[in-house]
Amino acid sequence: MPDAAPQRSDALKNREAILQVAHDALAESPSASLNSIAKRAGVGPGTLYRHFPTREALLLEVHRHDVNRLVDSVPDVLAAHAAPLDALREWFTTLSAYVRIKHGLGEALHSAAAQEAVSASWPPVTAAVARLLDVCERAGEVRPGIDPVDVIMLMSCLWRTPDTPEGAAQTQRLLELAIDGFRP
């Protein structure tokens, strides 16, 4: 929303509540209605539509919000783990769970605007992976010179696993296979 007037604190609070509820609701069911999202967020439909006039606008903002939250989590994930490689594992597990939700939205994220939003998320995600790899490299946990784009492409297999206990186990096995290839 460039050039938009600053929002009141209650409007910002409503917007954040809508985005969080929408993330959760869409994770449960990609066909969740906007009215059900508004109700769960504790706002009226008019409030939801003032912030997000279309379903696509809401979906795209949930995507942007989730990517920003994931990218911004890198310092906290690194601080929470003594071994940087454990932080990398956790971060990619979270990324794969998020992308699995996005894939569940199917056609909703295939418009030109959606593709633009997905493309815009690539540089910050790549920078986050580069930071994780750099910290792992300085700790001697991965070999030098690993390309973050290559890592993202390799790790893309993680979000193809099913959202089941078996899929979670497969995600962990695939993650470990990839990490073995990163070691010095």
Side-chain angles (χ1 to χ4, degrees), residues 11-63:
L12 288 172
K13 183 179 166 189
N14 286 342
R15 188 178 196 294
E16 286 299 312
I18 292 166
L19 288 171
Q20 184 56 54
V21 166
H23 168 90
D24 296 345
L26 295 167
E28 294 165 14
S29 170
S31 61
S33 73
L34 295 184
N35 286 338
S36 71
I37 291 169
K39 185 175 181 175
R40 282 176 63 174
V43 300
T47 298
L48 184 140
Y49 285 105
R50 265 192 303 284
H51 289 281
F52 309 103
T54 65
R55 179 177 183 78
E56 180 183 45
L58 176 61
L59 295 176
L60 293 178
E61 193 55 32
V62 167
H63 170 75

Side-chain angles (χ1 to χ4, degrees), residues 49-146:
Y49 285 105
R50 265 192 303 284
H51 289 281
F52 309 103
T54 65
R55 179 177 183 78
E56 180 183 45
L58 176 61
L59 295 176
L60 293 178
E61 193 55 32
V62 167
H63 170 75
R64 283 185 202 100
H65 186 262
D66 285 350
V67 167
N68 289 339
R69 189 170 55 196
L70 182 65
V71 166
D72 292 345
S73 76
V74 169
D76 293 335
V77 173
L78 284 165
H81 296 281
L85 207 49
D86 290 339
L88 181 83
R89 282 183 182 93
E90 180 181 320
W91 195 86
F92 268 103
T93 300
T94 302
L95 175 64
S96 66
Y98 165 66
V99 175
R100 220 178 277 112
I101 292 168
K102 183 180 79 70
H103 278 272
L105 298 175
E107 291 303 311
L109 287 177
H110 289 303
S111 70
Q115 291 307 307
E116 185 177 310
V118 170
S119 293
S121 67
W122 190 255
V125 169
T126 302
V129 172
R131 181 163 183 205
L132 287 161
L133 288 171
D134 180 58
V135 173
C136 288
E137 183 181 324
R138 284 187 278 126
E141 295 182 329
V142 301
R143 59 187 163 79
I146 297 175

